[in-house]
Amino acid sequence: MVQRIRLVIHGGLIDHEDGEESRQPRREALQQILDAGYKVLESQDALQAVIQTCALLEDNPLFNAGTGATIQRDGQFRLSSGLMDGHRQSFSGVINGRLIKNPIYLAEKLQQFEDRLLDSTGVEIQARNLGLDVYDPATPELVNRWAEFRFTPRFTRSHGTVGAVAVDAQGKLAAATSTGGRFMAGAGRVSDSCTPAGNYANEACAVSCTGHGEDILDEALATRIVLRVTDGLSLDVAVERSFHEAKERSRDFAAICVDCDGNAHCAETIGLLVAAYRNDAGAFTTTL
Ligand code: ASP
């Protein structure tokens, strides 16, 4: 059988009540980015496809990562990313990096180093060593929102995280995830996205998560799904079982997944996942 290639991307979770004015621009952005990502997947490999796709999602201010990333309670932007090369079984990432444009590109570069998961101090040093430009991810909209809510912090699901999972023509899998974290989270709080709970892949399956980071960590969600597939469950059953357990524990999150046969699965517990992929006939398919 010919190896089926697949790329699934996401731009976080929104509320079911969010209307067309919120859905339509996200749908359009997903379609453009998915098209660009497929070109990379067809000409290069799964790892490059998830990196390039994630960078495009980071560059789009509609999504909570890179430019347009959300802000912590002290008014600072702290960006995190995770990159998992499923073929080489190698994880790298950025924890609460500041003043960088594309945390996923830094995660990519870190794959060649011994120290592959850096906090803000390491990011500052390595980003400069590697010649990455100083970049302020703030948008006026986010700074204004912070100013509005700084004395009355409140939970909102209106942002999310971005991510991509892919399997290439050689059957190699990869996962990339990037985030600004939670709006008005406490200073220095760390997202799940830079951990194998939020972003994981091996030779059987690749998963990227979004949603309440602490819930994702508690369930070790990405790793849980990947290991279930590795141990022989079909992707559908692995995801359904993991989400059934999560719903019983009132978790708030979502995941996109692919397996080595090119099957795709997207799932959420309560919010509405902003995700897209091409179906078997090659048609753009979205969860929005
Ligand atoms: N998972 C991210 C975090 O908890 C945010 C999100 O996906 O909504 O930082």
Side-chain angles (χ1 to χ4, degrees), residues 64 159-161 179 181-182 189 191-193 210-214 216:
N64 173 20
H159 261 93
T161 281
T179 192
R182 308 294 286 174
R189 181 256 185 193
S191 162
D192 59 284
S193 308
T210 180
H212 199 266
E214 286 71 9
I216 295 167

Side-chain angles (χ1 to χ4, degrees), residues 189-251:
R189 181 256 185 193
V190 177
S191 162
D192 59 284
S193 308
C194 52
T195 75
N199 185 81
Y200 198 61
N202 66 5
E203 73 292 342
C205 181
V207 178
S208 168
C209 304
T210 180
H212 199 266
E214 286 71 9
D215 284 356
I216 295 167
L217 289 166
D218 288 345
E219 297 287 318
L221 183 64
T223 304
R224 178 183 291 245
I225 295 169
V226 167
L227 291 184
R228 281 188 157 149
V229 176
T230 309
D231 286 347
L233 287 190
S234 72
L235 183 65
D236 286 355
V237 174
V239 175
E240 272 153 26
R241 193 170 293 179
S242 304
F243 273 75
H244 175 75
E245 292 162 352
K247 280 181 191 159
E248 287 188 333
R249 289 190 274 267
S250 306
R251 303 301 194 190

Side-chain angles (χ1 to χ4, degrees), residues 7 9 33-34 36-37 48-58 164:
L7 172 66
I9 69 175
I33 293 170
L34 189 72
Q48 274 308 311
V50 298
I51 293 166
Q52 303 301 337
T53 306
C54 193
L56 290 171
L57 289 158
E58 287 177 336

Side-chain angles (χ1 to χ4, degrees), residues 4 166 258 262:
R4 212 167 14 147
V258 290

Side-chain angles (χ1 to χ4, degrees), residues 166-179:
V167 58
D168 62 28
Q170 272 70 50
K172 294 178 189 163
L173 289 141
T177 306
S178 184
T179 192

Side-chain angles (χ1 to χ4, degrees), residues 13-16 18 155-160 182 252 270-272:
L13 277 165
I14 57 174
D15 286 317
H16 282 284
D18 287 355
F155 170 77
T156 162
R157 191 186 283 112
S158 63
H159 261 93
R182 308 294 286 174
D252 177 2
I270 25 184
L272 177 63

